[in-house]
Amino acid sequence: MKKTSLISAAVVATVSALLLSSCAPAETAAVQRACVILPDADSGTRWEAGDRPALEAGLTEAGFEADIQNAQADPAKYATIADAMLTKGCGVMVLIDHQGAAVAVAEKAKAAGVPVIAYDRPIAGADYYVSFDNSTVGALQGQMILDGLAAAGKDPKTASIIYSSGDPTDGNAKMFLDGALGVLDAAGAKAAFTMTGTWDGAKAGTLFEQAFTAVKGKVDAVLAPNDNNAASIITILDKNGLVVPISGQDASVAGLQNVLLGKQTATVYKPFKLEVAAALDVIAKILKGEKVTASKTLEDGTPYIAVDPVSVGADGVQQVIDNGDATAADICTAEVAAACETHGVK
Ligand code: BGC
C-alpha cells in the first residue's frame, strides 16, 4: 500500500472547486468548516493519535477548515461542543458518537441543513455511515480465538472461553460481537462466562477479574473487543501466570507490542487514512449533489460505506509501520526489542 495520501487528487480538487465556486456568499464561511467531534481520549489511543491527524490532514487538503474537538467521554460536553460549532457554522459534521450523544446533534445539524456523516460508529438519523466492515472485524476476532486455540492444541467445543465486548451504547459493539459469534458458534465454541460490555479499559480489567473468579481461573481464551480492553485483561492474565489466545482491535502501539510478545494473538488493523478517504469521498459527493453509492445499509436504512479491515499477527506488524500508522521506535522498546528482531520489525 502507498504511504502517500490515500485521498484521490480528484476528490480534493472537486471539493475545493465546489467550496470556492458554488456557495452563496452568506454560506461561504459555514461551508468551509468541517466540524468533527471525537468521543474520548482513553477508550483507545486511536481517536487522538490516529483519527485526529488523519482527519485534520484529509479535511484540510480537501479545502476545509477543520474544527476537531474531543468530548472527553462526556455526553453533556458533546452537546455543548456541537452547539458552539453549529453556531459558528459547519459545512458538514463528521461525528463519532459517544453513548448516543450524537443523535440529538445530528438532528440539530440536519435541521440547520448541515449534512451529517456518522464516522466509525453508527448514529440514528445520520445521512451516511462511514466505517469499517464491522461484522468482518468481529469475524476476524473470532478467527483469532480459533487459530489461537488450534495452536495450543485445544478444542473450541470444550475450551473455557470468556466473551467480552465493547460498550453496548456503541452500535459497533454489537456488530463486532455478532461477527465474532458467527465464527465461534460455527466452530461449536461457547462462552464459559460473558462479561458486560464496556470501552473503559480499567472497567474491563475489573470485569475480567470477576469473570476469572467465576470460572475458577480456568481460562483457555478471551474474546476481547479491542487492544485497550485486551491490555487490561492481559495484565490480569499475567498476574496469574497465564498466556492464552486473546483478540484485539486497532493495531495500537500497546496492542502490537502484546502481539509481538505473544501475549495477544492478533489485532484487527483499521487504517485511519482509508476511513478518512472514504468519508471525504462521501462529503465531496454530497456537496456536488451526486449519488453516494454504499455497499451496505444499516438496519435503520442508513447507507453504510464499509472499508475492509485486516488481521495482523506478529508477522504483519511491519505492514502497519510501512503504512505509516506506527513506528518501530514506539513499538520496539526495551522489553519488545528482541521480539521485533525475531519478526523482522524495523
Ligand atoms: C471503534 C474501535 C475502538 C472502540 C473504542 C469503536 O467504536 O470502532 O476502533 O477501539 O470504539 O474506542
Side-chain angles (χ1 to χ4, degrees), residues 201-211 236:
K203 209 182 268 176
T206 308
L207 289 166
F208 182 72
E209 269 171 342
Q210 292 162 4
I236 294 152

Side-chain angles (χ1 to χ4, degrees), residues 137-145 161-167 173 176-177 180 184 193 195-199 201 204-205 208 219 221-234 237 244-250 258 263-268:
V137 170
L140 294 173
Q141 293 177 328
Q143 194 56 47
M144 288 170 201
I145 300 301
I161 312 175
I162 303 212
Y163 287 17
S164 66
S165 53
D167 188 323
F176 299 148
L177 183 61
L184 292 168
F193 189 93
M195 288 163 50
T196 303
T198 182
W199 284 136
F208 182 72
V219 179
V222 186
L223 175 68
N226 71 355
D227 292 350
N228 192 51
N229 285 23
S232 297
I233 294 169
I234 288 168
L237 289 167
V244 301
I246 174 165
S247 55
Q249 167 174 201
D250 290 337
N258 278 330
K263 296 180 173 190
Q264 185 176 317
T265 313
T267 181
V268 180

Side-chain angles (χ1 to χ4, degrees), residues 73-90:
D74 178 350
K77 183 164 182 178
Y78 201 109
T80 313
I81 290 174
D83 284 344
M85 283 177 162
L86 284 166
T87 302
K88 230 170 154 188
C90 308

Side-chain angles (χ1 to χ4, degrees), residues 43 46-47 120-121 170 172 176 199 226 249-250 270:
S43 65
R46 65 163 290 178
W47 306 119
D120 201 81
R121 297 178 172 173
D170 173 4
N172 283 350
F176 299 148
W199 284 136
N226 71 355
Q249 167 174 201
D250 290 337
K270 307 193 299 182

Side-chain angles (χ1 to χ4, degrees), residues 32 35 43 58 68 83 99 117 146 154 210 215 229 244-245 265 276 331:
Q32 283 175 337
C35 304
S43 65
I68 306 180
D83 284 344
Q99 299 189 334
I117 311 276
L146 295 183
K154 289 188 178 157
Q210 292 162 4
V215 299
N229 285 23
V244 301
T265 313
V276 170
I331 296 169

